Amino acid sequence: MSDTICFLTVGMNETSTDNSFPYIYPVPANSLIYLKTNAEFMGAIYRVADPLGRIVLTGKITTDIAVLNIADLSKGIYFFEVISDKKTKIRKIVKE
């Protein structure tokens, strides 16, 4: 598995209409974010990458609501990727 993720930015004024799982809140966040998911993503791995694709946080989803500590991350935009057996989802995180 590679330590780099590549992302394509389409526009800065995008709004997401994808309210499906996994759901991340609050955005923006200061130190903690909550990940709400369903059985489809139970046991999936997650990665958080900076805009350059560097992995800054990884883990495994073991509960339907997980708490992730992002206090050590610098302010900015990050990308949260969840990889299950069936699909991959990417969400944007804003660290204040």
Side-chain angles (χ1 to χ4, degrees), residues 1-93:
M1 186 182 317
S2 173
D3 287 342
T4 302
I5 302 174
C6 296
F7 295 97
L8 173 64
T9 301
V10 178
M12 295 305 291
N13 294 323
E14 295 177 335
T15 57
S16 175
T17 57
D18 184 2
N19 292 325
S20 64
F21 291 108
Y23 182 70
I24 296 175
Y25 60 96
V27 176
N30 290 315
S31 59
L32 298 176
I33 57 172
Y34 298 87
L35 169 68
K36 184 175 181 178
T37 189
N38 58 12
E40 181 179 23
F41 290 99
M42 198 61 58
I45 61 167
Y46 66 84
R47 300 187 292 197
V48 177
D50 68 11
L52 298 177
R54 295 178 294 207
I55 305 301
V56 295
L57 188 64
T58 61
K60 186 173 184 177
I61 298 172
T62 58
T63 62
D64 59 342
I65 298 179
V67 179
L68 305 176
N69 187 343
I70 61 167
D72 292 338
L73 299 180
S74 299
K75 291 180 182 181
I77 296 174
Y78 294 86
F79 298 94
F80 182 89
E81 179 183 36
V82 179
I83 305 161
S84 75
D85 292 337
K86 297 179 182 178
K87 63 173 76 173
T88 298
K89 291 277 190 151
I90 298 173
R91 301 285 187 249
K92 183 169 63 173
I93 300 170

